[in-house]
Structures are given as C-alpha cells and as structure tokens.
Amino acid sequence: MANDRLRTAILAANLTVDDLAARVDADPKTVDRWIRNEVVPHRKTRHKIVGVLGGREQDLWPSLATVARPTPTESELVHLYPSRSAITGRGWEALLAGVQERMDVLVFSGAFLVEQYDLVPLIREKAAEGVQFRLLVGDEESEAVKQRAIEEGTPGGLEGRIQLMRRYLADVADLAGVEVRTHGEILYNSLYRFDDDLLVNGHVLGALAGQSPVMHLRRQPNGQMWQHYMRSFERTWSAGVPEKPLEWP
C-alpha cells in the first residue's frame, strides 16, 4: 500500500518528487520508492524530510511510532490543512485526476472547482469512462443559504455563486452517471469525496469556507470518521431535489 501520508505532505508543501529529492540529497527514484512504501528512509534522512515537509516522523510513517499503533480511526487522518486555501492547486488536480469510481460533493456553491480546476470537462471525460458523480449544491432561495451568506459577510453573494454553479453543472446534469441535486440544509461541513479520499472542510461563523480548516481522510476498514461524514452526505443526498434539465427560451 502506498504511503499516502508522505505523498500528500509533498503536495501540501507544493513540491515535486524531484524537489524533495534535491532538498534531502536523495535520488528521485528513491523518493518514488518511499512513496510506494517499498522502503523506509534511514533515520538521518527522515529527519531531513521532516525538516522540509514539517510535522513529525510518526505522521509520515506511523509504523515507526514508539507508542501503541494507531487505531483505525486515528489512521484515517492523512493531513490537516489550516484552511482550504492551503491546499495547493497540484493537490486538487491530483485528487480530481485520480478519481476512478466515484466523486461526491456536498457544498453550498463550490464554483471554485469549475473556475480553477475545469470540473465540467473533467466530469464529461470521467463520466464517459464510467465514473459516477453525485453533486449536491445549495438552493439559493433556502433560509439556510440566506443565513449562511449573512454569517460569512456576503449577503446576496453566496446566492449568486450558487446560481452560477447550478448553471455550470446544468451542462453535464443529463450525462449518464451524473446526478445533480439541490438542498436547503444547514451545512456544518463541505464534503469532497474522491473514491477513498475525503476532504472535510469545516464551516466557521464569520469566516468563508476557503478560510476554514480541512481534514483529508482516507477510507480505512472499520474507520469511524469516514463513515460519520459520509452518513451526513447520504442523509442530505436523500433529501435533495434533483435538478431539472436546462430549458432555453
């Protein structure tokens, strides 16, 4: 099994394999082997890696921890970002490009995925390959959306971004394997699922979602955190209203 913690930490630092190799005096092929989990670097090299990427050794190599082995719930946490904005473009692109089976999104707007990462063309391409998409966006006329707009200091702005996102998604809503629904629920988190990877973006009173922390979880057998958040998605999805096909005048 690949070392997703190390790979994510490299992406979070906005580095490439070659960049890390140069900074710790290693061959790029050796770094690839670390990521594939074929070998664990020597102690001195691990210290260099931690110095470049931050965190602790046991965060990148849990098997080396001197304390008891992490429980399945603890090992679900791949990385904690101080804000959604701290996730690099390369990190988003890797998650989007890597989807092979299912992508689920629960947001109020999420328009940044379209405008920064070309989500609509990606949906067309991936849906043709059999990937399933479930996309839940807010109903701009709902009380939950209006209240959230006031709380984040953008009255009227959030509603406009939602309308924009719904218009974007209307171009792919009729594709096989693509479902788009709207909801009027209070959102405590935005959720972005990419197969077995899940980004949980907390919502904080008075702050925009992009300013709030994000947990990167990876699905594990018997993992409680993954199931906890995905139950929330499923509950909201079941109450969502399917989008109608776009009708031109």
Side-chain angles (χ1 to χ4, degrees):
M1 182 180 293
N3 188 337
D4 291 304
R5 293 168 183 261
L6 178 58
R7 177 165 50 196
T8 299
I10 294 171
L11 289 171
N14 201 23
L15 298 175
T16 66
V17 167
D18 289 343
D19 293 334
L20 180 61
R23 294 196 185 192
V24 300
D25 300 319
D27 189 288
K29 293 181 179 179
T30 301
V31 178
D32 281 329
R33 294 185 66 197
W34 298 340
I35 294 173
R36 293 196 299 269
N37 225 10
E38 295 177 357
V39 64
V40 175
H42 294 297
R43 185 169 180 269
K44 186 178 294 186
T45 303
R46 294 199 303 270
H47 286 177
K48 291 182 180 179
I49 295 170
V50 169
V52 173
L53 301 180
R56 304 172 301 169
E57 279 190 50
Q58 55 264 44
D59 295 331
L60 300 177
W61 299 280
S63 62
L64 299 178
T66 56
V67 296
R69 293 179 65 85
T71 65
T73 297
E74 292 171 330
S75 65
E76 288 178 89
L77 182 60
V78 176
H79 197 79
L80 178 61
Y81 296 92
S83 68
R84 194 186 73 199
S85 301
I87 305 176
T88 65
R90 190 179 298 155
W92 283 108
E93 289 164 0
L95 289 168
L96 288 163
V99 173
Q100 298 181 355
E101 297 180 1
R102 177 177 295 280
M103 179 175 171
D104 294 332
V105 174
L106 170 58
V107 291
F108 274 140
S109 170
F112 76 96
L113 289 173
V114 175
E115 296 169 345
Q116 297 180 42
Y117 303 109
D118 288 335
L119 179 63
V120 170
L122 181 136
I123 290 175
R124 291 186 183 280
E125 175 186 344
K126 294 285 187 177
E129 297 171 356
V131 176
Q132 303 291 306
F133 290 86
R134 293 188 297 175
L135 308 165
L136 260 171
V137 299
D139 176 353
E140 69 273 14
E141 297 182 358
S142 69
E143 290 304 315
V145 167
K146 294 176 183 177
Q147 182 61 38
R148 176 60 187 168
I150 293 171
E151 291 173 354
E152 68 177 19
T154 62
L158 177 58
E159 294 91 326
R161 296 200 304 274
I162 290 173
Q163 288 178 320
L164 189 64
M165 185 59 165
R166 292 177 68 177
R167 175 61 186 86
Y168 283 137
L169 295 181
D171 287 343
V172 292
D174 60 345
L175 296 180
V178 179
E179 294 183 80
V180 181
R181 297 185 183 182
T182 59
H183 71 90
E185 304 294 332
I186 297 173
L187 279 193
Y188 301 100
N189 302 278
S190 294
L191 302 177
Y192 307 86
R193 176 190 177 181
F194 310 89
D195 291 336
D196 288 337
D197 289 281
L198 178 65
L199 299 182
V200 181
N201 184 186
H203 290 191
V204 178
L205 182 66
L208 300 169
Q211 298 172 321
S212 299
V214 175
M215 290 188 297
H216 180 172
L217 304 179
R218 186 165 181 82
R219 191 176 192 175
Q220 299 290 344
N222 303 316
Q224 297 177 22
M225 294 174 67
W226 169 280
Q227 296 297 338
H228 179 71
Y229 286 108
M230 287 309 298
R231 278 196 296 269
S232 174
F233 177 91
E234 296 296 345
R235 180 175 178 176
T236 311
W237 179 258
S238 65
V241 178
E243 282 282 63
K244 297 179 180 178
L246 184 66
E247 294 182 2
W248 294 98

